Amino acid sequence: MRKLRVKSSSGGYDVLVGRGAWRALRRTKGYSSTFVLTEPGLWNRWGKKFSREAGVPGMKPLLVPAGEASKSLMWAGKIASQLLDRGADRRSLLIAFGGGVVGDLGGFVASTFMRGIDYVQAPTTILAQVDSSMGGKTAVNIRAMKNLVGTICAPKLVVSDPCVLASMTPRAFRSGLYEVVKHGILSGPGLFNWLERIVPGLRAKDAPLLETLVVRAAQVKVDVVSRDEREAELRQVLNLGHTFGHAIEEATGYRRFLHGEAVAWGLLMVTRLAELAGVLELAAGKRIARLVRAVGPLPGITGVREERVLGLLTRDKKAVGGKVLWILPERIGKVRLTSDVSRDAVVRAFREVQRGEWNA
Ligand SMILES: NC(=O)c1ccc[n+]([C@@H]2O[C@H](COP(=O)([O-])OP(=O)(O)OC[C@H]3O[C@@H](n4cnc5c(N)ncnc54)[C@H](O)[C@@H]3O)[C@@H](O)[C@H]2O)c1
Ligand SMILES: [Zn+2]
């Protein structure tokens, strides 16, 4: 098991990664009661094991339906009133046991319930283990706007046990791996070269290897958020591939692609864009494309309407005054933030990747 440390304005917290990480919950003392926010399917599959290892007496589950729709003010309200009904007070602890949806919702409820109670992240998807559980960003969606309302509030602790990844569907597993590829590009040759070696044969049940993968990819997030908790500048690099990715997700009504799959297409497009803008080292584009493809098959992108995607780019949260702030890879381990990219290049990058004309 490995311990990473996030520095934050509230003092910082540990991120424990590895088999047995849940046992660290035994050390959480002094709470009047402990609640676990989770989803029914996940709790059925893992609840017993989690409860046994966490060893917190009288832990009470609170269930929300699986899926992004639960990240809502309505569900935040329901959870808060259930907490109240079941005896929670200012000294209660909330554990978010689930993927990014449960983590974001749980963090939001904890940071606002009675003006804030402590919470712990126990992430159960790759995305949550390497990304969303760390950094303290919490949120709910309002209508179609993702993460419109939220807080920044650090968890007390993050406990990631990769054993839970064994129950992910192969598709959801791959979807998370695309985000790991993103971390590899941001991090540098150490992680990237290693991913090139292990990704082609990686399986969700390969526990020891996954443990190393989660540790190494989570470290990238820890480093970024430890330096920049409020996303002034540095934290934006984590959005690599997400400008195109979010637009593609929205253009297809969030039905055709899982989030990581849309990000994978976004990574390919933004890498091509960096080439066209003349900022990317020559051989790097090929390697990035090859690693994205090595994760496995992506749902096709033909038929996704170009005008729709391009129109949505300027609605990105990072866009200022209608200008998109692009995060372009320069080489493995370095990105550049710039708005100085021609519309022609953006159109070309989208088209060439969509038509399979670039490193397909
Ligand atoms: N707070 C942040 O910094 C941050 C960063 C990135 C993403 N996010 C948010 O994270 C969310 C996406 O997270 P996600 O990809 O984990 O989605 P998710 O939480 O919806 O989980 C994906 C699916 O996997 C299922 N699942 C979870 N754990 C499982 C397991 N161990 N075995 C089998 N199935 C399992 C869930 O029921 C769900 O159907 C989005 O809402 C996004 O906005 C937040
Ligand atoms: Zn993402």
Side-chain angles (χ1 to χ4, degrees), residues 127 179 242 259 263:
L127 176 116
E179 300 265 6
H242 282 62
H259 172 71
V263 169

Side-chain angles (χ1 to χ4, degrees), residues 152 227-236 325 337:
I152 293 189
R227 275 179 281 165
D228 184 1
E229 198 177 32
R230 298 205 70 95
E231 190 164 307
E233 267 274 312
L234 181 65
R235 199 165 166 161
Q236 302 207 19
L325 180 65
L337 275 61

Side-chain angles (χ1 to χ4, degrees), residues 305-322:
R305 283 174 49 221
E306 180 182 305
E307 325 78 79
R308 181 101 175 90
V309 172
L310 298 179
L312 287 164
L313 291 174
T314 48
R315 286 191 27 208
D316 190 85
K317 262 190 285 177
K318 296 174 295 305
V320 180

Side-chain angles (χ1 to χ4, degrees), residues 39 68 71 99-101 104 124-125 127 132 137 146 164 167:
E39 295 166 355
E68 188 71 32
K71 244 176 79 174
V101 163
D104 279 13
T124 64
T125 62
L127 176 116
S132 63
K137 281 212 263 172
K146 282 204 38 164
V164 281
S167 62

Side-chain angles (χ1 to χ4, degrees), residues 11-152:
Y13 48 96
D14 289 338
V15 177
L16 302 176
V17 184
R19 187 71 273 280
W22 298 333
R23 290 180 212 275
L25 289 166
R26 291 164 188 255
R27 296 199 298 267
T28 56
K29 294 240 155 59
Y31 292 105
S32 56
S33 53
T34 302
F35 294 82
V36 190
L37 184 69
T38 186
E39 295 166 355
L42 204 54
W43 197 241
N44 281 340
R45 174 68 181 79
W46 295 102
K48 269 211 186 82
K49 187 177 173 103
F50 178 74
S51 305
R52 197 169 56 235
E53 295 193 5
V56 179
M59 204 161 62
K60 301 171 201 173
L62 301 165
L63 300 176
V64 289
E68 188 71 32
S70 294
K71 244 176 79 174
S72 67
L73 277 178
M74 187 193 80
W75 273 103
K78 282 194 188 179
I79 302 296
S81 70
Q82 282 184 40
L83 280 169
L84 192 64
D85 289 347
R86 295 172 69 181
D89 59 29
R90 284 188 183 81
R91 289 199 305 112
S92 295
L93 175 71
L94 183 69
I95 301 171
F97 183 79
V101 163
V102 165
D104 279 13
L105 175 67
F108 182 76
V109 171
S111 68
T112 50
F113 182 76
M114 296 187 172
R115 300 212 171 82
I117 59 173
D118 285 355
Y119 77 104
V120 168
Q121 292 281 11
T124 64
T125 62
I126 298 196
L127 176 116
Q129 295 195 343
V130 305
D131 190 341
S132 63
S133 63
M134 295 159 286
K137 281 212 263 172
T138 85
V140 294
N141 309 322
I142 307 277
R143 288 187 293 166
M145 198 47 145
K146 282 204 38 164
N147 305 327
L148 186 64
V149 171
T151 60
I152 293 189

